Amino acid sequence: SAIQIPSRLPLLLTHEGVLLPGSTMRTSVDSPRNMQLVRSRLLKGTSLRSTIIGVIPNTSDPTSDCDDLPSLHRIGTAALAVQVVGSNWPKPHYTLLVTGLCRFQILQLLKEKPYPVAEVEQLDRLEQFTNQHKSEEELGELSEQFYKYAVQLVEMLDMSVPAVAKLRRLLDNLPREALPDILTSIIRTSNQEKLQILDAVRLEERFKMTIPLLVRQIEGLKLLQKTRKPKQDDDKRVVAIRPNRRINHIPSTTEDDDEEEDHDDVVMLEKKIRTSSMSEQALRVCIKEIKRLKKMPQSMPEYALTRNYLELMVELPWNKSTKDRLEIRAARILLDNDHYAMEKLKKRVLEYLAVRQLKNNLKGPILCFVGPPGVGKTSVGRSIAKTLGREFHRIALGGVCDQSDIRGHRRTYVGSMPGRIINGLKTVGVNNPVFLLDEVDKLGKSLQGDPAAALLEVLDPEQNHSFTDHYLNVAFDLSQVLFIATANTTATIPPALLDRMEIIQVPGYTQEEKIEIAHRHLIPKQLEQHGLTPQQIQIPQVTTLDIITRYTREAGVRSLDRKLGAICRAVAVKVAEGQHKETKPDRAEVGEGEDCKEHVTEDAKPESISDTADLALPPEMPILIDFHALKDILGPPMYETEVSERLSQPGVAIGLAWTPLGGEIMFVEASRMDGEGQLTLTGQLGDVMKESAHLAISWLRSNAKRYQLTNASGSFDLLDNTDIHLHFPAGAVTKDGPSAGVTIVTCLASLFSGRLVCSDVAMTGEITLRGLVLPVGGIKDKVLAAHRAGLKRIIIPQRNEKDLEEIAVNVRQDLTFVLAGCLDEVLNAAFDGGFAAKPRVERLNSKL
C-alpha cells in the first residue's frame, strides 16, 4: 500500500544528522521555532496526522524568533514522532525519537511563525517500484549486486549478536528498493554522504551511490580482522600456557605486572585464611569462596565483593584477645582516681575482677547504667576498660532505626556491609573488648526493622556465643565482650531487652560530691585547656558551692563544667592583658588608669586595691574568684531560694518529682472561688495526676467535718457553690505520675483551713481513697532535689524507708525524714503544731 502523507507539513530544522526513510534518529530540540513545533503540534495533537512532521536536514534553526529563516534544503524526510522527552537541565529542551517514512520536496513555504509550515510533494511511492517496468533489467542487476554486498557485509559480523541476526533476516524480507536507505543509515558514513543519498530521488542513482559505500565498509572490516587475528591467537596461547606456569611456579615474562600482583594477592589471602584461627564453619565458607574467586574474572562486580568479604574474615579477631589486669587493689585505686562517688559501679567492676581471678572462662556481664545526663555514665565505661586493660569501643545508638546497623546487610545487596558490632570488633582487633552501647533508650523504629529487637541476640549471654551477622553469615563468639549500655530512663527500653541487662542506677550527685568532683577533676581540666596555672587563679570551695547552688540546678556536672570554663576564659583575658601591659611600661597615665578601671572586673582585684593608679598595673597573682567576681563573669544568679516566699499564703505545698534528668521540686497551688462545684486542673497534667486530684478532693470532702474544713460560706460540703482550681507551675512541661497525691491533699487542706504549710517541708507519695499513703519510686533523686533546694524536712511513705539507705550519710544528717503510713500523719507533719482532727465517736442511731 502507498504511503500517503499530508500535503502540508510542519518543518523541524536539524543540522546535526540526516534522517533517511526507514531509519530512526534521536535529535535534540532547543531552538524557539522547533520548541514551539513540539509544544503546539506534537504535545497537543490528538490524531495520528499530528505526529507526522517534515525533517529538513543541513539547516539550522535561528536562535531567536526575530531572525529570518535560512534557505531550506530542498529535499526532506517525512517522519513519525515516536517519543518526546522533555528536560529543564542544563536548559529547557526536548529530545525527539523520529522514524523516517518517505522523501518529500518543498513546493512552497506557507508560514514561518510560530513554526515553519510548507506545502510539500511526496517523492517516494511504493506503487511505482512494483508497477513501473522501465529499465527493469538494469535495476534488477543493480539490486542483485547490492543485495550480494549487503549479505557479505552482514555475514562478516558476529551472527550470535541478536541485532546482527535480525538484520540478516531483514535483508530477505524487506523490498530491495528500501535497502539502500536502511543500510546507509547503519554503516559508517558521513552526514554529507547521507545527504547525497537523500537527494538521490531516482532509485537507480541511489543504488549506484550506495554500492561503493558498502564495498568500502567491507574492505575496512577485512583489514580490521587481519590486524586482530594474531592478537587473538596470542591471547589463546597465553591462556593455554598460564595454568601450567601457575602450577610449576615458572616466572612469566609475557603476563602483565598487574595480573601477577593480583594473583600474588589471592595466593597471600588464601595463605592467611588457612593459617588464621577462625572457626571450622567459617574456614569452610572461606575456602569455598576463595575457590570461586580464583575462577572469577576480575572484571566481574562480584570479584570485588567476594574479595572484600574474605579480607574482612581474615581481619576479624577470632581467637585474639588481651590479657585482663586482675589486681583488685590497683583497680580500686585507678577507679577512685578517675571517678568520685559511684560506689555501686565500682563495687560491680571489682566483683567481676574477683570472679575472673577464680574462673578464667567467665562470660562478659551485660551491664546497663541508668541515670540522668552528666553524671559520668559514658566516661566510667572508658575507665572500666582502662582498669581491666582492655580495648574500648563506643557505639552510639541514639536515633538508630534500622536493624541492619546492628546485624549488617546481606551480601546480595549493593553496598552491603557488616553491622556495627562486627565493625567494632574489626576496629579494636580483639575479641574481648569493652563495648559501650550509648543511649540505648533512644533507639528508633522504622520500616527497616526494630534495632532493639536485633540487640536481643547481642545482649543475651545464652545466645551471643554464636552471634550471626547477616554479612558474615557465620557465627561469631561475643561471649567474652563486656557490654555496657547507658540510658537516661528505662521507660522507653523494651521489656525483653531490659530483662537481658543488669540495671545499675547512677543517681545524681549531692552538693558535697559536686564540690569534690569540681576540685579533683573539673577545675584542673579547665585550667589545662585554657593554659592557666594554680598560681594564676584560685577558686575556693565557697565559690564552687555558690556556682552549684545559684548558677546550676542539675543532677550531673555538665553545666558546672561550662560555668568553670567561662570563669577560666575571663581570667585568661586578664592574664593576657597583664602580660601585654608589662611589655609596655612607663605609659600608664592617670587617664588610662581611669579607663582600665571600667574594664577590670572584680575577679581581677587583688586583695588590697585602693589607688586608681594601681589599676593600670597587671593584676596581682593569683586572681581570687569570689561572689562579686562570679556576678561580673556569670551575671546575676539564675536560681534563688524562693521556697519560703512562695509559701507565704494558704493553698501552696511543695511536692517532689522524678524526671530522666534527675529529681525536681514541684509547687502545687490551689485557689477557690464562687461557682458550681467544679474542679479545674491546669499545668499539662497526665491522666494519673488528674485522678490523684479527684482522689484528694473526694477524701477531703469525706473528712471535712473531722478536720473542720469549710468552704467560703461555712458549709462542710467543700464544693457547695464553690469552684476549686489546682495549678502545677511550669505549665509548658508535661507532668504525670501518682507521686503528687499527698501534695495535693496538703495543698487543699491548707486552702480550706486557711493555715500555711511549713516552708521547709516537701513531700511525695501516692494516696488511696481510704487515706493510706503508698510507696513511690525515685526516692534518692527526689531527696537530692530537696536537699539542693535547701529544704529540711521530707515526708515520704513508710514503705519507702528501705530506700533511705542509698542516700549519703551527710545528706541524711542535714534532713529530717517523716515516714507516713496514712494522710493523718502527713497533715500533722506538714503544718506547724499539727493538724488536729476531732476523734470519731461511735454513735448508734435508733431506727425505732
Side-chain angles (χ1 to χ4, degrees), residues 560-831:
L560 175 60
D561 194 28
R562 284 192 287 268
K563 301 297 181 187
L564 293 172
I567 292 171
C568 290
R569 288 194 297 273
V571 172
V573 171
K574 294 300 165 190
V575 172
E577 286 179 351
Q579 292 175 351
H580 181 65
K581 288 173 184 175
E582 286 177 351
T583 60
K584 297 182 179 180
D586 302 327
R587 293 189 181 182
E589 298 178 357
V590 176
E592 294 175 359
E594 291 174 355
D595 291 338
C596 292
K597 182 178 179 180
E598 296 175 1
H599 296 288
V600 175
T601 55
E602 293 292 334
D603 65 318
K605 280 187 179 180
E607 295 182 0
S608 59
I609 291 183
S610 57
D611 299 331
T612 56
D614 292 338
L615 291 174
L617 301 175
E620 292 185 6
M621 299 296 174
I623 298 175
L624 183 67
I625 305 297
D626 56 8
F627 175 71
H628 299 290
L630 280 185
K631 193 172 181 182
D632 288 336
I633 297 172
L634 303 179
M638 299 173 62
Y639 303 101
E640 296 289 347
T641 55
E642 55 178 356
V643 174
S644 59
E645 298 172 7
R646 296 184 67 168
L647 293 178
S648 59
Q649 57 181 346
V652 183
I654 301 175
L656 295 173
W658 180 89
T659 69
L661 308 180
E664 289 183 2
I665 64 169
M666 179 175 60
F667 290 89
V668 181
E669 300 174 351
S671 64
R672 61 182 176 179
M673 61 219 80
D674 293 338
E676 301 176 354
Q678 293 182 351
L679 176 63
T680 305
L681 303 170
T682 55
Q684 288 242 33
L685 308 184
D687 292 337
V688 179
M689 286 192 79
K690 290 177 182 177
E691 291 173 358
S692 295
H694 286 288
L695 270 174
I697 193 69
S698 298
W699 186 84
L700 283 174
R701 290 178 69 187
S702 64
N703 291 275
K705 287 186 179 180
R706 185 177 167 210
Y707 289 104
Q708 296 297 307
L709 302 177
T710 60
N711 60 11
S713 59
S715 171
F716 287 119
D717 187 358
L718 302 181
L719 292 180
D720 184 25
N721 297 324
T722 303
D723 284 351
I724 298 174
H725 187 161
L726 266 175
H727 178 62
F728 292 74
V733 181
T734 304
K735 311 169 191 70
D736 200 9
S739 302
V742 295
T743 315
I744 298 173
V745 170
T746 307
C747 174
L748 292 174
S750 168
L751 176 69
F752 288 114
S753 66
R755 299 178 59 185
L756 296 177
V757 180
C758 295
S759 61
D760 61 347
V761 173
M763 60 200 74
T764 184
E766 183 182 357
I767 60 170
T768 68
L769 205 54
R770 296 182 179 183
L772 300 178
V773 180
L774 300 183
V776 292
I779 290 295
K780 182 173 182 182
D781 288 324
K782 293 176 180 178
V783 170
L784 292 179
H787 187 254
R788 284 197 298 267
L791 300 172
K792 298 299 180 186
R793 204 153 32 129
I794 300 177
I795 304 171
I796 63 172
Q798 191 168 12
R799 287 162 62 182
N800 280 119
E801 184 179 6
K802 62 184 184 300
D803 297 318
L804 297 179
E805 297 177 2
E806 299 180 3
I807 301 168
V809 177
N810 56 344
V811 176
R812 277 188 284 174
Q813 289 175 351
D814 291 344
L815 300 172
T816 302
F817 293 95
V818 178
L819 304 175
C822 61
L823 286 174
D824 293 341
E825 299 172 3
V826 173
L827 295 177
N828 281 328
F831 294 91

Side-chain angles (χ1 to χ4, degrees), residues 29 31-44 61 65 94 113-115:
V29 171
S31 56
R33 286 187 175 88
N34 285 347
M35 294 273 284
Q36 193 62 39
L37 165 64
V38 174
R39 292 194 187 105
S40 304
R41 177 84 175 190
L42 299 182
L43 297 182
K44 293 185 178 179
D61 187 26
D65 287 337
Y94 291 99
K113 295 183 180 180
Y115 53 86

